[in-house]
PDB file of all heavy atoms in Angstrom:
ATOM      1  N   TRP A 171     -14.942  16.000  13.009  1.00  0.00           N
ATOM      2  CA  TRP A 171     -13.981  14.994  13.425  1.00  0.00           C
ATOM      3  C   TRP A 171     -12.545  15.342  13.041  1.00  0.00           C
ATOM      4  O   TRP A 171     -11.617  14.727  13.556  1.00  0.00           O
ATOM      5  CB  TRP A 171     -14.346  13.639  12.824  1.00  0.00           C
ATOM      6  CG  TRP A 171     -15.630  13.090  13.337  1.00  0.00           C
ATOM      7  CD1 TRP A 171     -16.840  13.108  12.722  1.00  0.00           C
ATOM      8  CD2 TRP A 171     -15.843  12.443  14.598  1.00  0.00           C
ATOM      9  NE1 TRP A 171     -17.791  12.515  13.505  1.00  0.00           N
ATOM     10  CE2 TRP A 171     -17.209  12.089  14.662  1.00  0.00           C
ATOM     11  CE3 TRP A 171     -15.007  12.118  15.669  1.00  0.00           C
ATOM     12  CZ2 TRP A 171     -17.752  11.434  15.767  1.00  0.00           C
ATOM     13  CZ3 TRP A 171     -15.549  11.467  16.759  1.00  0.00           C
ATOM     14  CH2 TRP A 171     -16.901  11.124  16.807  1.00  0.00           C
ATOM     15  N   GLN A 172     -12.345  16.287  12.142  1.00  0.00           N
ATOM     16  CA  GLN A 172     -10.996  16.597  11.690  1.00  0.00           C
ATOM     17  C   GLN A 172     -10.443  17.883  12.286  1.00  0.00           C
ATOM     18  O   GLN A 172      -9.225  18.055  12.330  1.00  0.00           O
ATOM     19  CB  GLN A 172     -10.955  16.682  10.164  1.00  0.00           C
ATOM     20  CG  GLN A 172     -11.210  15.346   9.479  1.00  0.00           C
ATOM     21  CD  GLN A 172     -11.089  15.427   7.972  1.00  0.00           C
ATOM     22  OE1 GLN A 172     -11.076  16.512   7.405  1.00  0.00           O
ATOM     23  NE2 GLN A 172     -11.014  14.276   7.319  1.00  0.00           N
ATOM     24  N   ASN A 173     -11.302  18.787  12.731  1.00  0.00           N
ATOM     25  CA  ASN A 173     -10.816  20.063  13.255  1.00  0.00           C
ATOM     26  C   ASN A 173     -10.957  20.198  14.763  1.00  0.00           C
ATOM     27  O   ASN A 173     -10.261  21.014  15.373  1.00  0.00           O
ATOM     28  CB  ASN A 173     -11.553  21.225  12.572  1.00  0.00           C
ATOM     29  CG  ASN A 173     -11.240  21.305  11.087  1.00  0.00           C
ATOM     30  OD1 ASN A 173     -10.102  21.064  10.681  1.00  0.00           O
ATOM     31  ND2 ASN A 173     -12.237  21.646  10.273  1.00  0.00           N
ATOM     32  N   ASP A 174     -11.832  19.447  15.375  1.00  0.00           N
ATOM     33  CA  ASP A 174     -11.967  19.490  16.830  1.00  0.00           C
ATOM     34  C   ASP A 174     -10.863  18.642  17.459  1.00  0.00           C
ATOM     35  O   ASP A 174     -10.549  17.541  16.966  1.00  0.00           O
ATOM     36  CB  ASP A 174     -13.340  18.969  17.243  1.00  0.00           C
ATOM     37  CG  ASP A 174     -13.552  19.063  18.741  1.00  0.00           C
ATOM     38  OD1 ASP A 174     -13.792  20.162  19.233  1.00  0.00           O
ATOM     39  OD2 ASP A 174     -13.431  18.017  19.412  1.00  0.00           O
ATOM     40  N   THR A 175     -10.284  19.128  18.536  1.00  0.00           N
ATOM     41  CA  THR A 175      -9.122  18.452  19.123  1.00  0.00           C
ATOM     42  C   THR A 175      -9.477  17.070  19.642  1.00  0.00           C
ATOM     43  O   THR A 175      -8.861  16.067  19.251  1.00  0.00           O
ATOM     44  CB  THR A 175      -8.544  19.308  20.269  1.00  0.00           C
ATOM     45  OG1 THR A 175      -8.124  20.568  19.750  1.00  0.00           O
ATOM     46  CG2 THR A 175      -7.341  18.602  20.893  1.00  0.00           C
ATOM     47  N   VAL A 176     -10.466  16.975  20.516  1.00  0.00           N
ATOM     48  CA  VAL A 176     -10.807  15.685  21.112  1.00  0.00           C
ATOM     49  C   VAL A 176     -11.385  14.744  20.065  1.00  0.00           C
ATOM     50  O   VAL A 176     -11.032  13.559  20.000  1.00  0.00           O
ATOM     51  CB  VAL A 176     -11.797  15.889  22.273  1.00  0.00           C
ATOM     52  CG1 VAL A 176     -12.219  14.543  22.861  1.00  0.00           C
ATOM     53  CG2 VAL A 176     -11.178  16.763  23.360  1.00  0.00           C
ATOM     54  N   ALA A 177     -12.259  15.269  19.213  1.00  0.00           N
ATOM     55  CA  ALA A 177     -12.899  14.421  18.204  1.00  0.00           C
ATOM     56  C   ALA A 177     -11.883  13.863  17.213  1.00  0.00           C
ATOM     57  O   ALA A 177     -11.948  12.687  16.838  1.00  0.00           O
ATOM     58  CB  ALA A 177     -13.974  15.216  17.469  1.00  0.00           C
ATOM     59  N   SER A 178     -10.926  14.684  16.785  1.00  0.00           N
ATOM     60  CA  SER A 178      -9.924  14.200  15.830  1.00  0.00           C
ATOM     61  C   SER A 178      -9.035  13.137  16.456  1.00  0.00           C
ATOM     62  O   SER A 178      -8.654  12.166  15.791  1.00  0.00           O
ATOM     63  CB  SER A 178      -9.082  15.374  15.331  1.00  0.00           C
ATOM     64  OG  SER A 178      -8.397  16.011  16.406  1.00  0.00           O
ATOM     65  N   GLN A 179      -8.698  13.313  17.735  1.00  0.00           N
ATOM     66  CA  GLN A 179      -7.883  12.296  18.390  1.00  0.00           C
ATOM     67  C   GLN A 179      -8.655  10.997  18.584  1.00  0.00           C
ATOM     68  O   GLN A 179      -8.088   9.905  18.493  1.00  0.00           O
ATOM     69  CB  GLN A 179      -7.380  12.829  19.725  1.00  0.00           C
ATOM     70  CG  GLN A 179      -6.389  13.974  19.575  1.00  0.00           C
ATOM     71  CD  GLN A 179      -5.864  14.481  20.904  1.00  0.00           C
ATOM     72  OE1 GLN A 179      -6.201  13.957  21.957  1.00  0.00           O
ATOM     73  NE2 GLN A 179      -5.036  15.520  20.870  1.00  0.00           N
ATOM     74  N   ILE A 180      -9.955  11.095  18.825  1.00  0.00           N
ATOM     75  CA  ILE A 180     -10.778   9.889  18.913  1.00  0.00           C
ATOM     76  C   ILE A 180     -10.841   9.193  17.558  1.00  0.00           C
ATOM     77  O   ILE A 180     -10.782   7.958  17.471  1.00  0.00           O
ATOM     78  CB  ILE A 180     -12.188  10.242  19.419  1.00  0.00           C
ATOM     79  CG1 ILE A 180     -12.132  10.691  20.877  1.00  0.00           C
ATOM     80  CG2 ILE A 180     -13.134   9.061  19.266  1.00  0.00           C
ATOM     81  CD1 ILE A 180     -13.466  11.153  21.434  1.00  0.00           C
ATOM     82  N   ALA A 181     -10.936   9.976  16.478  1.00  0.00           N
ATOM     83  CA  ALA A 181     -10.979   9.391  15.140  1.00  0.00           C
ATOM     84  C   ALA A 181      -9.692   8.642  14.820  1.00  0.00           C
ATOM     85  O   ALA A 181      -9.708   7.510  14.302  1.00  0.00           O
ATOM     86  CB  ALA A 181     -11.236  10.480  14.103  1.00  0.00           C
ATOM     87  N   VAL A 182      -8.551   9.246  15.139  1.00  0.00           N
ATOM     88  CA  VAL A 182      -7.267   8.575  14.909  1.00  0.00           C
ATOM     89  C   VAL A 182      -7.166   7.323  15.769  1.00  0.00           C
ATOM     90  O   VAL A 182      -6.728   6.255  15.302  1.00  0.00           O
ATOM     91  CB  VAL A 182      -6.099   9.534  15.202  1.00  0.00           C
ATOM     92  CG1 VAL A 182      -4.765   8.800  15.126  1.00  0.00           C
ATOM     93  CG2 VAL A 182      -6.105  10.698  14.227  1.00  0.00           C
ATOM     94  N   SER A 183      -7.580   7.408  17.021  1.00  0.00           N
ATOM     95  CA  SER A 183      -7.511   6.254  17.916  1.00  0.00           C
ATOM     96  C   SER A 183      -8.419   5.126  17.443  1.00  0.00           C
ATOM     97  O   SER A 183      -8.079   3.941  17.611  1.00  0.00           O
ATOM     98  CB  SER A 183      -7.903   6.669  19.335  1.00  0.00           C
ATOM     99  OG  SER A 183      -7.059   7.701  19.820  1.00  0.00           O
ATOM    100  N   THR A 184      -9.549   5.462  16.829  1.00  0.00           N
ATOM    101  CA  THR A 184     -10.461   4.434  16.328  1.00  0.00           C
ATOM    102  C   THR A 184      -9.809   3.603  15.239  1.00  0.00           C
ATOM    103  O   THR A 184      -9.971   2.376  15.190  1.00  0.00           O
ATOM    104  CB  THR A 184     -11.751   5.083  15.804  1.00  0.00           C
ATOM    105  OG1 THR A 184     -12.348   5.866  16.842  1.00  0.00           O
ATOM    106  CG2 THR A 184     -12.736   4.036  15.335  1.00  0.00           C
ATOM    107  N   VAL A 185      -9.055   4.265  14.368  1.00  0.00           N
ATOM    108  CA  VAL A 185      -8.348   3.525  13.310  1.00  0.00           C
ATOM    109  C   VAL A 185      -7.330   2.566  13.923  1.00  0.00           C
ATOM    110  O   VAL A 185      -7.211   1.406  13.511  1.00  0.00           O
ATOM    111  CB  VAL A 185      -7.663   4.499  12.338  1.00  0.00           C
ATOM    112  CG1 VAL A 185      -7.016   3.731  11.190  1.00  0.00           C
ATOM    113  CG2 VAL A 185      -8.646   5.526  11.794  1.00  0.00           C
ATOM    114  N   VAL A 186      -6.599   3.048  14.919  1.00  0.00           N
ATOM    115  CA  VAL A 186      -5.593   2.198  15.573  1.00  0.00           C
ATOM    116  C   VAL A 186      -6.261   1.021  16.270  1.00  0.00           C
ATOM    117  O   VAL A 186      -5.787  -0.128  16.183  1.00  0.00           O
ATOM    118  CB  VAL A 186      -4.761   3.031  16.565  1.00  0.00           C
ATOM    119  CG1 VAL A 186      -3.734   2.156  17.270  1.00  0.00           C
ATOM    120  CG2 VAL A 186      -4.065   4.185  15.847  1.00  0.00           C
ATOM    121  N   ILE A 187      -7.358   1.280  16.971  1.00  0.00           N
ATOM    122  CA  ILE A 187      -8.071   0.213  17.675  1.00  0.00           C
ATOM    123  C   ILE A 187      -8.567  -0.841  16.686  1.00  0.00           C
ATOM    124  O   ILE A 187      -8.441  -2.050  16.913  1.00  0.00           O
ATOM    125  CB  ILE A 187      -9.233   0.804  18.489  1.00  0.00           C
ATOM    126  CG1 ILE A 187      -8.692   1.647  19.645  1.00  0.00           C
ATOM    127  CG2 ILE A 187     -10.151  -0.296  19.019  1.00  0.00           C
ATOM    128  CD1 ILE A 187      -9.763   2.440  20.378  1.00  0.00           C
ATOM    129  N   TRP A 188      -9.133  -0.383  15.574  1.00  0.00           N
ATOM    130  CA  TRP A 188      -9.674  -1.315  14.581  1.00  0.00           C
ATOM    131  C   TRP A 188      -8.581  -2.201  13.994  1.00  0.00           C
ATOM    132  O   TRP A 188      -8.790  -3.390  13.767  1.00  0.00           O
ATOM    133  CB  TRP A 188     -10.370  -0.520  13.478  1.00  0.00           C
ATOM    134  CG  TRP A 188     -10.992  -1.394  12.428  1.00  0.00           C
ATOM    135  CD1 TRP A 188     -12.195  -2.021  12.491  1.00  0.00           C
ATOM    136  CD2 TRP A 188     -10.414  -1.741  11.162  1.00  0.00           C
ATOM    137  NE1 TRP A 188     -12.412  -2.729  11.341  1.00  0.00           N
ATOM    138  CE2 TRP A 188     -11.345  -2.574  10.497  1.00  0.00           C
ATOM    139  CE3 TRP A 188      -9.225  -1.417  10.519  1.00  0.00           C
ATOM    140  CZ2 TRP A 188     -11.107  -3.091   9.236  1.00  0.00           C
ATOM    141  CZ3 TRP A 188      -8.982  -1.933   9.259  1.00  0.00           C
ATOM    142  CH2 TRP A 188      -9.914  -2.764   8.622  1.00  0.00           C
TER     143      TRP A 188
END
Side-chain angles (χ1 to χ4, degrees):
W171 294 101
Q172 293 183 345
N173 295 322
D174 183 76
T175 299
V176 177
S178 61
Q179 293 181 2
I180 292 176
V182 173
S183 302
T184 303
V185 184
V186 179
I187 292 171
W188 182 82

